[in-house]
Each structure stands twice: as structure tokens, then as C-alpha cells.
Amino acid sequence: MLSFRTLTAGISLLLTLSAASAQLSDKPIRLIVPYAAGGPLDITARVLAERVKDSLGTVVVDNRPGAGGNIGADAIAKAVPDGYTIGLAATATHAVNPWLFAKMPYNAATDFAAITQMVRVPNVLVMNAEAAQRLHIKSLADLIAYAKANPAKLNYGSGGNGSAGHLAGEMFKKEADIFALHIPYNGGNPAQLALLSGQVDFNIDNLATAAPNIRSGKLKALAVTSLARSSALPDVPAMSETLKGFGIDTWWGLVAPAATPKERIAQLNQAFVAALQAPETKTRFATLLAEPAPSTPVAFDALMKAERAKYEKVVKATGARVD
């Protein structure tokens, strides 16, 4: 039979453990965004942080921009793997940068545990509307035909060597078997201004960035780069309709440090997938022309692996380097 002292000690221990558990559950989650505040990645992270507060507690967004996303991604990789530091993995940080930078502070293949993909955003091939009319280009097939009939006359702009627009442009040239001179600019906005002013013939831009000028009639959208058409621009064909199998999406998702316990990964996945599936999330993301893309950790890890393999070939073929 238990003595009163033993029973009291046991109750005290249970209360202590319960208090410790409550204290642990009250600990806020830090969500590192490797880019500046205000952009699409940051906005979507903040939307989800708000939606999971009932299931996971407070989620604090921590912006760590710099080095093409490498600074923030490195902070995620080197955080304590207790499930209370997570962050965004994007096309650049986990598929392009490993081949673009001569020295990487983290290993994109081994330093992270996938949680879920968050978003898929197609890019779009756009021309200056006046130039397209002047050259009688109404479709992607027309652009390819013009390039073949007028070798070395076309050029395209991008936000810089190794940028998403540059690599997509090189993939397009290879698949279409055409030539167009690449003109790199210092960022996406200068590249778009160059297109609007007629300094370049076409760009492959992020759909969210290009959409306002497409809607205003200043830019003509010839094709989205995803395998299927985008619900945001349903009348614009996918590149794959002309170039079979062509597909490039901008994507990002959630990861944790590699040694984070699998049970915690499963808990995070369940909460964030539910948040991504909520109608309110879909409505909010639609304003960014972004499509929620919840997944299992295994599926997101497989996507990142496949994307690294794809961009390894592209980056090496272009010879692009940042450092």
C-alpha cells in the first residue's frame, strides 16, 4: 500500500511534468523566411502562421534575406532540431542555388526534413503587346516560327544570370531549338521595365508579377510554363501544348532541420496541410495567383530531389555562376 508521502511525491512529479509539458506547448514556433518581408513567400507564410495558431500555437515569422535565400536556409539547417524552428524551402534555395553557387553553407539534399509543399505558381512567357502585334505573333508556335525564320534577331530579359527567368528561358530555347540572346538585368523589376519599353522581345516572368500588365493589355501572354493551364489565366495555353513535356513551376514549402523527430514532422504536416486546404487560404492565395499544393513529407522531399536534378543540367548548360 502506498504511503501518503509516496503518493504526494507522485502527484507532485505528475504536476511538474504536466507544467513542463504545458510550458513546452506554449513555446512559439519560429518560421524562417529566407526572403524580405512583403513578397509572395513572406505573405503566404504569414497567412499560414495565422491559420495554425489554434492547432500549433503561436508561429513567429522571422525574415532572413540575403545571398539568394542562402542565409535564411542555412539558419534553418543549423537550428536546434526540436520542431520549434522551421522555414521555407524554395526553388532557388533547394534546387537552383546548389549548382549556381561555388560554395554553399548548407547541403540542400541532406540538411533538411520536408514537412509539406505549400504553393505552386506558374511562370508565363510574355511579349510587349505592341511588338507582338507588329511581328504578327499571336501564339507560342508563332514565336518559335519567327525565331527560326529570323535567326539571332530575338532577345529576352531576366532578373539576372541564374535567375528563374534566365533558366526558364534557356530551357525554352533548348526545347524549341531556337536562339535568343539573353540580356540580364539587376532584378525582376528592371527586366519587366525593359520588356514594357520594348528593349527586349520577351521575358519568362512570375505570373503574379506579370498579371497586372497582362490584364491591362501592355503585355501579351503566349503561354504559362506549367504542364497544365493556370486557373488564373485559363485562356492562356500551357507551353506543354506546343512543347510536349515542358514544365517549370515556381514552388515553395516547409522544411525543418534534418534531425527533427518524425513524430513532430507528422504533427506539423497535419496542421499545415489542414491550413492549406482551408477555403480561406485558397481565396487569400488566389490574390497572389498562387495555388496551394499540400503534400506529404515524402512527396515534397521527392519533388525537391527531382527539381535539383532538373536544374543541375540547366545551370551547368548555361554556365551561370554567382560567385
Side-chain angles (χ1 to χ4, degrees):
M1 187 171 182
L2 292 175
S3 69
F4 178 77
R5 178 176 295 179
T6 302
L7 183 62
T8 302
I11 292 173
S12 178
L13 177 60
L14 287 174
L15 290 174
T16 300
L17 291 173
S18 176
S21 177
Q23 186 178 15
L24 185 63
S25 65
D26 289 340
K27 182 179 178 179
I29 295 172
R30 182 172 60 134
L31 198 170
I32 297 175
V33 176
Y35 301 96
L41 282 83
D42 175 69
I43 293 172
T44 55
R46 292 177 187 276
V47 169
L48 290 190
E50 181 64 22
R51 291 216 59 82
V52 299
K53 65 181 181 181
D54 291 338
S55 55
L56 294 176
T58 301
V59 178
V60 179
V61 175
D62 181 5
N63 296 92
R64 297 284 191 93
N70 285 353
I71 291 175
D74 186 47
I76 301 165
K78 292 180 171 57
V80 176
D82 59 2
Y84 286 91
T85 296
I86 61 176
L88 294 194
T91 311
T93 58
H94 282 67
V96 176
N97 289 0
W99 318 115
L100 195 61
F101 288 79
K103 293 182 180 180
M104 288 288 288
Y106 59 90
N107 187 317
T110 61
D111 288 350
F112 303 89
I115 297 172
T116 178
Q117 185 178 349
M118 282 173 54
V119 168
R120 178 172 49 242
V121 183
N123 297 318
V124 59
L125 192 154
V126 285
M127 289 189 70
N128 179 293
E130 293 181 358
Q133 184 176 18
R134 185 179 69 253
L135 298 174
H136 307 290
I137 295 174
K138 298 180 180 180
S139 66
L140 184 66
D142 289 343
L143 177 63
I144 294 171
Y146 179 87
K148 290 185 175 181
N150 298 273
K153 283 193 175 181
L154 286 178
N155 59 33
Y156 76 98
S158 81
N161 286 319
S163 66
H166 174 210
L167 299 179
E170 293 304 306
M171 289 179 69
F172 165 56
K173 286 163 52 178
K174 182 178 183 296
E175 293 299 316
D177 192 24
I178 63 171
F179 176 80
L181 179 66
H182 173 231
I183 302 179
Y185 290 86
N186 188 24
N189 287 338
Q192 187 180 73
L193 290 173
L195 180 64
L196 290 169
S197 64
Q199 295 177 43
V200 294
D201 297 309
F202 69 88
N203 285 1
I204 296 181
D205 206 349
N206 182 280
L207 182 55
T209 302
N213 287 312
I214 294 172
R215 290 169 178 157
S216 71
K218 294 178 181 178
L219 295 179
K220 181 173 180 58
L222 298 184
V224 292
T225 64
S226 49
L227 281 170
R229 296 192 182 199
S230 168
S231 58
L233 292 174
D235 295 331
V236 177
M239 273 195 178
S240 61
E241 295 175 38
T242 302
L243 301 171
K244 187 177 180 179
F246 191 99
I248 302 176
D249 284 323
T250 297
W251 51 264
W252 57 92
L254 292 167
V255 294
T260 302
K262 291 183 179 180
E263 296 79 8
R264 179 60 171 169
I265 293 294
Q267 181 187 26
L268 293 167
N269 174 268
Q270 182 178 16
F272 281 107
V273 165
L276 286 163
Q277 292 173 335
E280 297 86 353
T281 301
K282 295 179 181 179
T283 300
R284 184 68 182 90
F285 281 19
T287 64
L288 302 169
L289 301 180
E291 179 185 348
S295 69
T296 64
V298 171
F300 185 38
D301 187 64
L303 169 72
M304 290 190 287
K305 182 177 180 180
E307 289 285 283
R308 275 193 299 276
K310 178 173 73 177
Y311 281 105
E312 178 183 13
K313 296 177 182 177
V314 179
V315 173
K316 290 181 177 179
T318 64
R321 279 289 180 186
V322 170
D323 55 355

